[in-house]
């Protein structure tokens, strides 16, 4: 591609349009995958006992904990780089990824049994050792990064969809066949290997080995703070699981796993918006005005999505337990409600790390992660021991407030003129009429919680939120829709 073509491709208007169309593609993908995951989670909660679900939660906590240590930003750095020879850049990133793969296989083979002993639950050792061998498959998914950097979102998401679809089919089939925990493990492995095979076959660059010491130093400088952040995330995941399993038993872990899985549906907006924007903001990382515009618009849209979903959790959690997953999960209902509320609050400036990664300043990410983990351990874990899983949710809420406050402090350094109060209020206020209407209806008629009554409240809630969102944010929504249609020419400066 010529220099003129590259400049035209990276022009602000084109980047906005491509990002918007990418957001639409990603939205379709994320909604579909999230719904698939939600259906799978609910089906498994129905098919499996809380004990087996808790064992899966422990295994996933152990696996994700150890895998997180490998999330050191190799993909982020590859996307952020602007090497003139992209085949060379691809080969360097591929080499680093492949070098790390056997290291993490060994780490999992050693770490899973150790964590199982710490949990006091040796039944996860065998399945954990098996799932460790999914690491080579994950390493070979690296060609997906090239499609992402090119902002070829359609190809990227089509390839990514193979994993959840195959995992869903294989997992439900194997669980119905009576394999229980092993069905969950084998289903996840089948999905990962199927996706890897497709990604390697469609790689836009040849998979070659290239070792470059200078490039390795650049990756190390970029990644070291992210490794610190990953380490703190490991503690954030593991400490509550270890304490909960040893003090309260496996059902406490099951409650935390279920609440986390449900709240993740709200948090998927972070993956959706940030995933669409990151390649574009890397290309305009020297334009503070464009970074500012991208930040405030994406966060406003994220709050408009997250606030209704998060508020619905405490409103309808009792009905969800009774009519969907069963009364055996009643003990987890308060925690699910708290996590839903936190899913809203945590969306404030949710994608701030993408902007700091784009400008190459990853140290604030490490600091914020360490502080958040320390707060959860200081407030949440003692409450978990003393009062149980609901009190643990309260402690996590305190830690979340601290974490969001620190996040906003860093963002103000990057964007000194950010109108935080109005920005947050305009994203959350459209949800208020729906919440008030449902509570008023319940106060006026505190009748039985039949399916028809729940459907009526949910419908009223949805209609009011859609209407208030449109009337309060129609300018932003119209701009977003016009971009998706490819016909808008946006201002280069943000509006208040």
């Amino acid at each position: 591609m010529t220099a003129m073509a590259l400049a035209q491709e990276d022009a602000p208007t084109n980047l906005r349009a491509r990002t918007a169309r990418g957001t639409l593609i990603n939205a379709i993908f994320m909604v579909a995958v999230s719904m698939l995951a939600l259906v799978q989670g609910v089906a498994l909660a129905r098919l499996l006992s809380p004990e087996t679900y808790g064992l899966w939660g422990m295994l996933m906590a152990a696996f994700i904990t150890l895998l997180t240590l490998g999330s050191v930003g190799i993909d982020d750095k590859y996307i952020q780089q602007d090497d003139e020879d992209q085949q060379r850049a691809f080969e360097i990133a591929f080499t680093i990824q492949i070098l790390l793969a056997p290291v993490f296989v060994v780490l999992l083979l050693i770490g899973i049994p150790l964590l199982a002993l710490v949990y006091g639950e040796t039944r996860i050792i065998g399945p954990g050792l098996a799932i460790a061998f999914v690491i080579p498959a994950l390493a070979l998914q690296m060609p997906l990064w090239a499609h992402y950097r090119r902002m070829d979102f359609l190809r990227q998401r089509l390839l990514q969809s193979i994993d959840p679809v195959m995992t869903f089919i294989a997992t439900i089939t194997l669980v119905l066949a009576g394999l229980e925990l092993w069905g969950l493990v084998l289903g996840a492995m089948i999905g990962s290997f199927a996706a890897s095979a497709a990604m390697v076959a469609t790689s836009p660059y040849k998979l070659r080995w290239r070792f470059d010491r200078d490039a390795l130093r650049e990756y190390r400088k970029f990644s070291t703070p992210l490794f610190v952040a990953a380490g703190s995330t490991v503690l954030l995941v593991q400490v509550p699981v270890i304490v909960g399993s040893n003090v309260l038993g496996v059902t406490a872990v099951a409650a935390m796993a279920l609440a986390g899985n449900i709240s993740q549906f709200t948090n998927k907006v972070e993956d959706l918006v940030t995933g669409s924007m990151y390649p574009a903001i890397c290309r305009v990382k020297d334009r503070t005005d464009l970074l500012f515009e991208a930040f405030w618009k994406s966060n406003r849209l994220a709050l408009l999505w997250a606030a209704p979903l998060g508020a619905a959790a405490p409103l309808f959690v009792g009905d969800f337990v009774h009519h969907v997953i069963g009364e055996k999960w009643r003990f987890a209902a308060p925690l699910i409600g708290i996590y839903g509320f936190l899913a809203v609050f945590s969306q404030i400036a949710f994608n701030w790390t993408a902007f700091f990664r784009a400008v190459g300043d990853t140290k604030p990410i490490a600091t914020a992660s360490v502080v958040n983990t320390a707060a959860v351990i200081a407030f949440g874990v003692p409450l978990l021991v003393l009062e149980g899983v609901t009190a643990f949710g309260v402690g996590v809420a305190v830690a979340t407030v601290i974490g969001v406050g620190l996040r906003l402090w860093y963002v103000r350094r990057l964007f000194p003129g950010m109108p935080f109060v109005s920005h947050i209020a305009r994203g959350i206020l459209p949800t208020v009429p729906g919440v008030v209407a449902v509570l008023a209806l319940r106060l006026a008629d505190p009748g039985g919680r039949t399916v028809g009554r729940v459907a009526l409240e949910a419908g009223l809630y949805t209609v009011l939120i859609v209407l208030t969102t449109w009337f309060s944010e129609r300018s932003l929504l119209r701009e977003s829709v016009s971009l998706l249609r490819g016909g808008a020419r946006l201002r280069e400066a943000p509006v208040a």
Side-chain angles (χ1 to χ4, degrees):
M1 186 178 291
T2 66
M4 182 177 294
L6 281 170
Q8 179 65 24
E9 182 183 77
D10 289 349
T13 300
N14 285 339
L15 284 177
R16 290 189 186 97
R18 294 171 65 200
T19 301
R21 287 191 289 271
T23 301
L24 176 61
I25 293 168
N26 288 339
I28 295 171
F29 171 81
M30 294 302 296
V31 169
V33 170
S34 296
M35 290 301 298
L36 189 65
L38 186 63
V39 171
Q40 178 177 310
V42 171
L44 292 176
R46 191 80 182 182
L47 293 171
L48 301 172
S49 67
E51 183 179 23
T52 301
Y53 201 97
L55 290 173
W56 176 245
M58 283 186 181
L59 179 56
M60 283 297 95
F63 179 73
I64 293 171
T65 290
L66 297 170
L67 190 62
T68 297
L69 292 174
S71 302
V72 293
I74 298 172
D75 53 344
D76 292 331
K77 178 59 181 173
Y78 167 73
I79 294 161
Q80 191 245 12
Q81 56 79 29
D82 47 15
D83 196 316
E84 292 183 359
D85 185 348
Q86 284 302 307
Q87 173 67 47
R88 173 183 176 275
F90 179 87
E91 291 170 2
I92 291 171
F94 175 73
T95 300
I96 296 173
Q97 182 80 340
I98 294 301
L99 286 173
L100 286 175
V103 174
F104 287 103
V105 171
V106 173
L107 179 64
L108 285 166
L109 292 177
I110 297 173
I112 293 284
L114 290 177
L115 288 172
L117 294 175
V118 171
Y119 296 157
E121 192 51 77
T122 57
R123 285 178 289 178
I124 69 171
I125 293 178
L129 294 178
I131 206 169
F133 291 97
V134 79
I135 294 296
L138 297 180
L140 289 173
Q141 292 182 8
M142 183 265 171
L144 196 69
W145 304 351
H147 301 301
Y148 182 31
R149 187 181 184 280
R150 293 177 170 185
M151 303 181 74
D152 187 356
F153 295 109
L154 180 59
R155 184 180 296 272
Q156 175 201 4
R157 292 310 192 180
L158 286 175
L159 290 169
Q160 278 187 296
S161 66
I162 296 171
D163 190 339
V165 170
M166 292 298 297
T167 296
F168 177 85
I169 294 171
T171 299
I172 298 299
T173 301
L174 294 170
V175 169
L176 287 173
L179 292 183
E180 295 194 338
L181 183 59
W182 275 101
L184 298 171
V185 171
L186 293 174
M189 295 179 70
I190 290 170
S192 294
F193 277 98
S196 299
M199 292 174 194
V200 169
T202 59
S203 175
Y205 301 108
K206 293 182 179 179
L207 277 62
R208 294 172 177 166
W209 177 275
R210 182 187 288 266
F211 188 81
D212 187 303
R213 293 186 183 275
D214 292 335
L216 184 60
R217 279 193 291 270
E218 289 183 18
Y219 272 86
R220 185 170 62 244
K221 180 181 178 182
F222 183 92
S223 299
T224 298
L226 298 181
F227 181 78
V228 173
S232 67
T233 301
V234 165
L235 294 177
L236 181 65
V237 172
Q238 284 302 317
V239 172
V241 171
I242 292 170
V243 173
S245 62
N246 283 282
V247 176
L248 302 176
V250 68
T251 54
V253 179
M256 290 187 281
L258 181 62
N261 287 340
I262 292 173
S263 70
Q264 281 302 310
F265 187 72
T266 298
N267 293 334
K268 288 295 184 182
V269 71
E270 178 175 352
D271 297 329
L272 166 63
V273 178
T274 306
S276 304
M277 293 179 58
Y278 184 63
I281 62 179
C282 285
R283 298 189 186 190
V284 296
K285 53 182 176 285
D286 298 324
R287 291 285 305 275
T288 304
D289 57 332
L290 294 180
L291 290 178
F292 185 18
E293 179 185 1
F295 181 83
W296 81 264
K297 286 182 179 177
S298 63
N299 277 263
R300 181 82 62 79
L301 289 170
L303 283 170
L304 292 175
W305 159 272
L309 290 178
L315 278 178
F316 296 101
V317 63
D319 305 310
F320 176 72
V321 169
H322 181 70
H323 294 292
V324 181
I325 61 176
E327 289 296 327
K328 63 186 177 182
W329 290 102
R330 177 62 61 181
F331 72 100
L335 185 64
I336 295 172
I338 293 171
Y339 271 40
F341 170 77
L342 294 181
V344 179
F345 193 72
S346 63
Q347 290 299 310
I348 297 172
F350 73 101
N351 60 347
W352 72 283
T353 62
F355 291 83
F356 279 85
R357 283 180 279 132
V359 299
D361 184 9
T362 54
K363 291 181 181 179
I365 300 172
T367 302
S369 183
V370 170
V371 169
N372 183 59
T373 299
V376 170
I377 294 174
F379 296 104
V381 173
L383 289 173
L384 176 65
V385 173
L386 295 174
E387 300 293 338
V389 293
T390 301
F392 171 71
V394 175
V396 173
V398 174
T400 302
V401 171
I402 295 172
V404 171
L406 181 59
R407 176 192 306 176
L408 292 176
W409 184 76
Y410 277 123
V411 169
R412 187 170 288 281
R413 286 174 46 189
L414 189 62
F415 304 124
M418 183 71 183
F420 287 115
V421 175
S422 61
H423 164 76
I424 295 168
R426 289 182 64 177
I428 293 177
L429 285 177
T431 302
V432 173
V435 173
V436 171
V438 170
L439 293 177
L441 187 61
R442 292 179 184 179
L443 184 64
D445 181 15
R449 306 300 299 164
T450 63
V451 173
R453 174 62 180 268
V454 174
L456 173 64
E457 291 181 359
L460 176 64
Y461 180 78
T462 302
V463 169
L464 285 176
I465 287 174
V466 169
L467 290 176
T468 53
T469 299
W470 172 250
F471 282 115
S472 64
E473 294 290 351
R474 57 184 176 273
S475 177
L476 179 61
L477 294 174
R478 281 172 176 164
E479 182 179 287
S480 302
V481 171
S482 65
L483 266 178
L484 294 175
R485 292 174 176 171
R489 299 185 63 84
L490 298 183
R491 293 180 295 273
E492 292 199 7
V495 294

